Amino acid sequence: MEKNRALLRTKNPDKFGNRKKQSVTHHTAFGFCRKCGVEHALETGDAVSLASALMTQLESNGCIDFELPQEQRNPGFSLDYLWGEARGKMFGVADCIDANGKRVALKAFSCQYQGRWEAPGWAPPLLDPQAWDRLVEPVDREIKSIGLELERPHVSKTTRLELREQRKILSQALMRDIHELYEVSNFCGERRSLSDVFIGQGIPTGAGDCCAPKLLHSAVSKDLRPLGIAEFFWGRENLSHTRRHRLFYSCCQDKCQPLLGFMLCGIDK
Ligand SMILES: [Zn+2]
Ligand SMILES: [Zn+2]
C-alpha cells in the first residue's frame, strides 16, 4: 500500500488515469486486502470494448434506460442532465463469466442518476434505496429547518452557535448511519458493513457509490466472476478538470482503493 502510494505520487497517469507503472496491463480496479496482506487487482480486459459499445448505445439513444421501449422511457434518465449544472458522471462496465462459462456484461453509473438509485438494466447500489429514503429524508428536513432558523433575523450569537453545533452533530450521525446501510460483499462469500472494511480514517461521502463497487457487488450477487472492468466519464467536464468526456479512468484513490481490496478478495478462485 505504502509503496503504491509512493508510485501514485511520482508517476504521471496514463490514458486510463492509472498512475502505476505498468507496461502491458492496466489495473483499473485495485486495493490492499488486509486479510491476505496483498493488493488484489482487476485489469480492464475485454471490458474496454464493452464500454465502447455502451458509449455507442448512449450516443444513439440519448438516455440510459435505452433497454426499454421508447414509450416506457423516463425523461429523468435523459443524458442531457450530464451536460448541465450537475456535470458528467462515471459509467462502468464489467465483463463477467457465469458458472457455465457464458459471458455476461454488467453496467453501472456512479452515485445516483438525477436523484434515482436504480435504473432498468443497471447495477443496483450497495444499499436498499427505500431504507436510504427512510433514514435520510427526516434528518434532511431537520437539517434544513435548522438552516432556516439560522437565517432568521435577531438570532442571538449563543443560539446561533448552538444551532450550528446541533446541525453538525445531526449530519455526522447521519453519515455514520448511512455507512451502516451499505453491505459490502466479496468473492470469498463475506458480507460486511462499509465501516468494517474501509481502510483509513473517515469514510468520504460517496464511498461505495462508484461504478467498480456496484459492479463487483452485482457480480457477487449474481454468482458471476468478473474478468475485466472499465470505467469512463460521460458528459460535461468536472469542476476540477480531472474527468473528461469519453476518457477511461482507474478506480479512485480516496473512495474506491480503500474498499476494493476487500471486495476483490477471492476473485481468482
Ligand atoms: Zn471510486
Ligand atoms: Zn484478500
Side-chain angles (χ1 to χ4, degrees):
M1 193 76 178
E2 277 314 304
K3 199 172 146 217
N4 287 335
R5 288 243 169 86
L7 281 170
L8 287 166
R9 275 195 297 272
T10 53
K11 301 288 172 195
N12 288 323
D14 61 15
K15 67 174 175 170
F16 290 91
N18 200 325
R19 289 163 194 269
K20 289 177 76 191
K21 192 184 176 188
Q22 287 153 352
S23 49
V24 186
T25 55
H26 301 280
H27 285 179
T28 58
F30 58 93
F32 182 79
C33 174
R34 282 189 283 210
K35 190 175 80 181
C36 303
V38 294
E39 184 184 278
H40 297 310
L42 185 61
E43 296 157 14
T44 47
D46 289 342
V48 172
S49 53
L50 292 174
S52 301
L54 175 59
M55 289 187 202
T56 308
Q57 288 271 40
L58 292 174
E59 209 145 51
S60 57
N61 292 290
C63 64
I64 66 162
D65 55 349
F66 53 77
E67 285 176 15
L68 296 179
Q70 201 98 35
E71 63 278 8
Q72 286 176 29
R73 293 180 190 171
N74 186 332
F77 290 132
S78 157
L79 288 173
D80 295 345
Y81 153 67
L82 303 177
W83 293 96
E85 281 305 301
R87 295 181 178 263
K89 183 176 269 308
M90 289 295 295
F91 288 85
V93 179
D95 172 31
C96 305
I97 192 163
D98 73 9
N100 302 316
K102 193 175 152 245
R103 299 290 269 273
V104 180
L106 298 176
K107 57 185 186 297
F109 55 82
S110 63
C111 308
Q112 292 179 307
Y113 202 93
Q114 286 225 70
R116 292 173 183 86
W117 283 112
E118 291 172 296
W122 295 80
L126 274 65
L127 49 74
D128 170 11
Q130 277 84 42
W132 192 85
D133 284 346
R134 281 196 299 273
L135 173 70
V136 173
E137 277 168 8
V139 186
D140 252 1
R141 271 199 300 274
E142 222 174 319
I143 289 172
K144 277 191 192 112
S145 81
I146 293 176
L148 290 174
E149 225 20 63
L150 280 165
E151 277 169 26
R152 281 168 51 181
H154 317 301
V155 178
S156 77
K157 204 177 165 192
T158 323
T159 312
R160 204 173 282 277
L161 284 173
E162 277 170 10
L163 285 170
R164 287 221 176 92
E165 184 60 23
Q166 205 184 331
R167 186 167 62 179
K168 196 174 127 196
I169 291 167
L170 272 174
S171 55
Q172 283 173 345
L174 178 63
M175 280 314 290
R176 276 194 301 274
D177 292 343
I178 285 177
H179 293 149
E180 290 310 309
L181 290 183
Y182 285 75
E183 188 184 62
V184 190
S185 52
N186 67 18
F187 297 90
C188 296
E190 295 171 308
R191 279 167 194 276
R192 308 267 284 277
S193 76
L194 185 63
S195 48
D196 250 6
V197 300
F198 198 88
I199 297 176
Q201 305 275 298
I203 304 173
T205 306
D209 295 336
C210 289
C211 299
K214 285 188 187 181
L215 293 168
L216 293 172
H217 183 75
S218 186
V220 169
S221 66
K222 289 171 186 275
D223 226 357
L224 300 170
R225 190 164 64 89
L227 304 171
I229 213 163
E231 293 180 81
F232 63 89
F233 188 79
W234 193 272
R236 188 176 164 196
E237 186 182 34
N238 68 348
L239 277 171
S240 50
H241 308 292
T242 54
R243 294 280 185 272
R244 291 212 166 95
H245 186 49
R246 283 181 162 274
L247 293 192
F248 284 90
Y249 298 93
S250 273
C251 68
C252 67
Q253 201 183 342
D254 57 335
K255 291 175 281 184
C256 286
Q257 287 175 29
L259 185 62
L260 293 184
F262 172 84
M263 293 197 80
L264 288 165
C265 196
I267 199 166
D268 298 325
K269 277 175 192 162

